[in-house]
Amino acid sequence: MQGNVGLRHAIMTIALALAPAPAFAIDEALLPRNLSPWGMFLGADIVVKTVMVGLAVASLVTWTVWLAKSIELRRKGALASQRTRALEGNIRLAEAAERAGDAHDAVAQLIQSCAKEAELSGGVLDDGLQERVALRLERVEAAMSRQIARGTGVLATIGATAPFVGLFGTVWGIMNAFIGISESHTTSLAVVAPGIAEALLATALGLVAAIPAVVIYNHLVRGIANYRALLGDASAQLMLLVSRQRDHREFRLARAAE
């Protein structure tokens, strides 16, 4: 009896020794040790790497445009406000044009365009002059608005496309994970984890690029709208200035006739 027990014990020992190790032990040994973002980037497929680099560049472009346009809007907005306030006083068109000189800011170009039309009209201040001045001011406003908005379109493009680019990286990473499962003939975590991690990293980078781009784009659009309002105020002040000069000349002619 004791011999049978010893025989069964020996058989069980040999069976356990020859049996394959548990799957979780193999997974633990084969799992990648570096699952940091940089480690996942280095271990990613070339397509996923390209997607990640492209999204990183898009994010850099977003913040560069934000910095450049914020500085430009603040500088040009302050100068436009200063010149518009100067037009609110008792000033003549010729004096305003002399103060503007050869400056290239938006309000200075509005003043120069208005003075140029008055010069071409031979100093005749009538309703026709006011209409021509209004047309010139509209054209200058439109040109300055296009100039200040230059560069913001790329933010809209990044905000709209970055999530889909990240999704492409996600799909590609998951495809790699399934290919690894098929080639290794196992569903162990060691085969699946790297591809899934790379896929999730691509998705995260897509959101990191898209969300700030949308927020910054909306912020710049509001700033550009305020700048356009300043140009509208400057144009209105110039129209009032031309109208006042016309009325004053008619008043002097009427007094002389008396």
Side-chain angles (χ1 to χ4, degrees):
M1 192 70 178
Q2 292 180 352
N4 293 336
V5 173
L7 180 60
R8 287 197 300 268
H9 185 270
I11 292 173
M12 292 178 61
T13 302
I14 295 172
L16 290 174
L18 295 177
F24 66 86
I26 295 176
D27 291 346
E28 184 178 357
L30 296 178
L31 275 174
R33 297 301 180 184
N34 187 5
L35 282 179
S36 64
W38 180 247
M40 288 186 288
F41 171 76
L42 293 178
D45 182 81
I46 183 62
V47 175
V48 181
K49 280 184 180 179
T50 303
V51 169
M52 292 180 183
V53 171
L55 292 172
V57 171
S59 182
L60 179 62
V61 169
T62 295
W63 292 106
T64 301
V65 171
W66 168 76
L67 180 61
K69 299 305 291 187
S70 296
I71 295 174
E72 183 182 5
L73 279 171
R74 177 168 296 185
R75 178 175 58 83
K76 290 187 175 182
L79 185 56
S81 298
Q82 179 182 353
R83 290 194 185 276
T84 302
R85 286 194 298 269
L87 292 174
E88 294 176 356
N90 186 15
I91 186 174
R92 297 178 63 82
L93 181 59
E95 183 181 353
E98 182 179 354
R99 290 183 181 180
D102 296 331
H104 298 289
D105 60 279
V107 178
Q109 292 193 34
L110 289 172
I111 296 172
Q112 293 162 6
S113 180
C114 184
K116 181 66 175 178
E117 183 58 39
E119 179 183 353
L120 293 175
S121 299
V124 179
L125 301 177
D126 55 6
D127 293 337
L129 174 63
Q130 289 184 285
E131 293 178 1
R132 293 191 296 273
V133 166
L135 290 175
R136 278 182 173 267
L137 294 179
E138 288 179 5
R139 291 182 60 188
V140 174
E141 279 188 55
M144 293 298 101
S145 297
R146 289 193 300 268
Q147 180 180 349
I148 198 66
R150 190 177 303 161
T152 57
V154 68
L155 298 179
T157 301
I158 292 173
T161 60
F164 297 101
V165 175
L167 181 61
F168 171 74
T170 300
V171 173
W172 194 271
I174 294 175
M175 286 172 57
N176 285 337
F178 281 114
I179 291 172
I181 292 173
S182 176
E183 291 178 349
S184 62
H185 303 288
T186 179
T187 58
S188 65
L189 186 60
V191 176
V192 179
I196 298 300
E198 295 162 11
L200 295 177
L201 181 60
T203 301
L205 287 177
L207 296 177
V208 167
I211 294 174
V214 173
V215 174
I216 292 173
Y217 175 76
N218 291 331
H219 171 72
L220 292 180
V221 165
R222 290 192 296 270
I224 291 171
N226 293 333
Y227 180 74
R228 288 174 176 171
L230 287 175
L231 297 186
D233 292 342
S235 296
Q237 289 297 329
L238 286 171
M239 292 298 297
L240 291 174
L241 190 152
V242 172
S243 178
R244 283 197 299 268
Q245 286 192 209
R246 175 173 178 267
D247 292 343
H248 288 168
R249 177 168 295 187
E250 289 181 353
F251 177 75
R252 288 195 299 269
L253 291 175
R255 294 293 299 272
E258 293 176 359

